[in-house]
Amino acid sequence: MVQPSPGAAHPAGTSRRTLLALIGASLAAAPLLNAPPVSAAPASAKAAGLDDPAKKEIAMELVSSAENSSLDWKAQYKYIEDIGDGRGYTAGIIGFCSGTGDMLDLVQLYTDRKPGNVLAKYLPALRRVNGSASHAGLDPDFPKDWRKAAQDTAFQQAQNDERDRVYFNPAVQQGKADGLGVLGQFAYYDAIVMHGDGSDPTSFRNIRKRALRTAKPPAQGGGEVAYLNAFLDARVWAMKQEAAHSDTSRVDTEQRVFLRKGNLNLDPPLDWKVYGDSYHIG
């Protein structure tokens, strides 16, 4: 699971992960569950959803700007470090963690597809350290072997597939069921990446429930802009429940910028800021 955002201080060019390492936050992992059953969304006039290839690429770049201070999300396949947040190693394009189970699932998928790969020997250790910050059985060579595996297109594809299964697809499914366009689906995706979809009050599903107290989504007869404002308000509330979330710029100077401009389809050009750094998609 990708880790939460840093506090307000954010020197330009400094990644969120490095800042979290400095903060040394110790956050409890929330298990990501399957998206709740949803009814079919009404026919949409939108030409594309977030799962359209061009829109999905935009989504990956937007998240990477916040998670890695870079639009080059594909450069993160090889990323791995312990950022000192109590979740063990954080790695890959979506911040798979040795302490939260999603890294174990990823390595298991890779091994199912390619037995004998360089990471397969770590499966017993990943099972043992799941739920903890421990590196037992992983050090000293796991980071080196992760970077080696990241050169394998099969491992890259496994990362893509697990990101989609656990984070992207459930968010897009719920967004479409709520009658939301591309921006709304992205708002859901960014929230599920940061907060997971567990039972805790700040999880994605409970952020959505909080928004529903204030506004109805289009599928329930509400206005899209009004509902998205309510959802982003609920998201900001959730972020502020922990000090490590206190910088809400990925909402305030990114998603709200697009919403204020009425760009519900996330059509380029896109200009935004995260933690004070400026980004552009032409």
Side-chain angles (χ1 to χ4, degrees):
M1 184 185 300
V2 171
Q3 308 305 319
S5 302
H10 185 81
T14 302
S15 75
R16 176 195 53 78
R17 286 170 172 148
T18 301
L19 284 172
L20 269 179
L22 295 173
I23 295 171
S26 179
L27 303 176
L32 190 65
L33 306 178
N34 291 331
V38 293
S39 58
S44 173
K46 305 286 191 305
L50 194 67
D51 49 357
D52 172 83
K55 299 300 184 183
K56 186 173 183 178
E57 175 64 27
I58 287 173
M60 298 304 110
E61 293 183 16
L62 288 171
V63 168
S64 187
S65 72
E67 300 297 326
N68 307 107
S69 296
S70 169
L71 299 185
D72 187 5
W73 65 270
K74 293 180 180 178
Q76 310 310 319
Y77 289 118
K78 65 181 182 297
Y79 166 79
I80 182 168
E81 67 176 318
D82 188 327
I83 61 176
D85 66 346
R87 291 176 174 176
Y89 281 116
T90 296
I93 59 171
I94 207 70
F96 301 100
C97 294
S98 60
T100 63
D102 54 357
M103 181 181 286
L104 170 60
D105 290 344
L106 169 63
V107 175
Q108 184 65 64
L109 176 65
Y110 180 38
T111 302
D112 290 344
R113 293 177 176 179
K114 191 170 184 178
N117 69 74
V118 69
L119 297 180
K121 61 181 176 286
Y122 295 104
L123 281 170
L126 287 170
R127 294 187 188 101
R128 288 193 299 270
V129 302
N130 190 19
S132 77
S134 175
H135 294 183
L138 299 176
D139 289 342
D141 294 328
F142 185 66
K144 172 178 64 69
D145 287 338
W146 180 281
R147 289 187 286 268
K148 182 177 180 181
Q151 301 173 36
D152 183 0
T153 56
F155 187 49
Q156 295 174 13
Q157 188 60 50
Q159 289 195 40
N160 293 344
D161 292 344
E162 280 297 280
R163 172 203 61 205
D164 290 352
R165 180 184 71 85
V166 180
Y167 300 97
F168 186 80
N169 293 344
V172 172
Q173 177 192 15
Q174 185 66 69
K176 288 183 175 182
D178 285 341
L180 301 177
V182 175
L183 176 59
Q185 293 167 38
F186 174 75
Y188 278 12
Y189 174 55
D190 193 64
I192 207 169
V193 162
M194 173 180 283
H195 301 281
D197 197 22
S199 59
D200 57 288
T202 60
S203 68
F204 164 69
R205 69 181 62 192
N206 286 316
I207 292 171
R208 178 176 172 272
K209 286 179 181 178
R210 189 178 183 90
L212 288 171
R213 298 174 197 164
T214 305
K216 294 181 179 180
Q220 297 180 25
E224 186 168 12
V225 172
Y227 173 74
L228 286 179
N229 272 313
F231 181 81
L232 293 180
D233 288 345
R235 171 81 189 279
V236 167
W237 172 86
M239 293 171 74
K240 288 184 175 180
Q241 298 312 297
E242 296 184 77
H245 288 178
S246 60
D247 187 322
T248 60
S249 63
R250 68 195 289 163
V251 171
D252 302 334
T253 57
E254 182 187 298
Q255 295 172 50
R256 285 201 195 274
V257 170
F258 307 144
L259 185 57
R260 283 196 298 269
K261 291 182 177 180
N263 192 354
L264 300 180
N265 204 40
L266 278 181
D267 290 324
L270 299 171
D271 293 280
W272 72 97
K273 291 183 179 181
V274 181
Y275 312 132
D277 298 335
S278 297
Y279 300 92
H280 172 80
I281 295 177

